[in-house]
Amino acid sequence: MSESNDSNCGCTGDTVRAERDPAYRRALWIVVILNLGFGVCEIIGGFIANSQALKADSLDFIGDGSITLVGLLALGWSAASRARIALTQGLFLGALGLGVIAFAVARALNAEPPEAELMGVIGIVALAVNVTAALVLSRFRDGDANVRAIWLFSRNDAIANIAVIVAAILVGWTGSAWPDLLVAGVIALLFLHSATEIVRNARAELRPSQA
């Protein structure tokens, strides 16, 4: 999950630059479409493959895409309104992370290995999507801290996809569900960490307006 949220809005990226640079704004829209579109496909694939890691990764895609989308739509809103939206997003994403952990624990009690081949194929496609997003944003990676952060976290998401692929290989090799559950847990913890950052930044922005 991207932690590159602008401190004023929870938007993944730099809102000032998004307002002034059409190319950067177009790049963010492409990332939104890639994340939301594939996130929906991956969560369906996760249920078909019976993979908790794919389900967790799909929430990562959907979370990234929805945060960026709302941030782009809220460019003209007041700082306080954007902060409230970010706070709501952070709480919602945190709830999703807890849900992933709860499902993983429940599955651990009756662990059945997912379909390793399908899991691996979807993981490879997810990696390709994240690499594409990173390439789209790569021309902006030398900008300010927010611009660099969005590119770096797209790259880091690709690393999570590699973990899913490795888990699929281990599931196929061992016939065990534990690699899948372990990766799902790690992704969920990263999800919770990102949600915490979003909530903390949003609350910091709301304090001046409430003073």
Side-chain angles (χ1 to χ4, degrees):
M1 168 62 58
S2 296
E3 296 169 300
S4 51
N5 302 72
D6 184 277
S7 59
N8 289 329
C9 74
C11 170
T12 304
D14 181 357
T15 53
V16 174
R17 184 171 188 175
E19 288 176 329
R20 298 178 180 176
D21 187 347
Y24 181 54
R25 190 164 58 248
R26 283 194 299 271
L28 291 179
W29 275 110
I30 292 172
V31 172
V32 167
I33 294 170
L34 287 173
N35 277 292
L36 291 181
F38 184 75
V40 172
C41 294
E42 188 177 27
I43 198 168
I44 294 172
F47 278 102
I48 294 174
N50 199 27
S51 168
Q52 298 303 308
L54 288 179
K55 294 174 187 176
D57 194 48
S58 70
L59 293 180
D60 188 20
F61 273 100
I62 293 172
D64 283 347
S66 62
I67 289 171
T68 308
L69 174 62
V70 173
L72 284 169
L73 295 177
L75 285 175
W77 299 0
S78 68
S81 296
R82 294 197 301 265
R84 292 189 187 98
I85 291 294
L87 180 61
T88 302
Q89 289 174 320
L91 294 173
F92 178 67
L93 294 176
L96 288 179
L98 292 174
V100 170
I101 292 176
F103 278 114
V105 171
R107 281 288 311 280
L109 300 176
N110 185 24
E112 296 180 2
E115 295 184 25
E117 291 185 2
L118 180 57
M119 180 182 172
V121 169
I122 295 176
I124 291 171
V125 177
L127 176 61
V129 170
N130 265 319
V131 168
T132 300
L135 290 174
V136 168
L137 296 168
S138 62
R139 60 180 289 199
F140 305 103
R141 69 182 184 274
D142 294 325
D144 63 17
N146 285 314
V147 179
R148 291 194 302 272
I150 183 174
W151 182 81
L152 289 173
F153 280 102
S154 292
R155 184 194 66 183
N156 292 344
D157 286 344
I159 295 174
N161 297 143
I162 293 174
V164 172
I165 296 170
V166 172
I169 294 172
L170 292 175
V171 167
W173 181 38
T174 64
S176 170
W178 286 105
D180 176 56
L181 297 175
L182 180 61
V183 170
V186 170
I187 293 175
L189 290 175
L190 293 174
F191 213 76
L192 290 176
H193 176 70
S194 296
T196 301
E197 290 293 316
I198 294 169
V199 170
R200 182 164 56 226
N201 289 337
R203 293 183 63 185
E205 286 298 319
L206 284 171
R207 288 192 194 103
S209 65
Q210 294 172 346

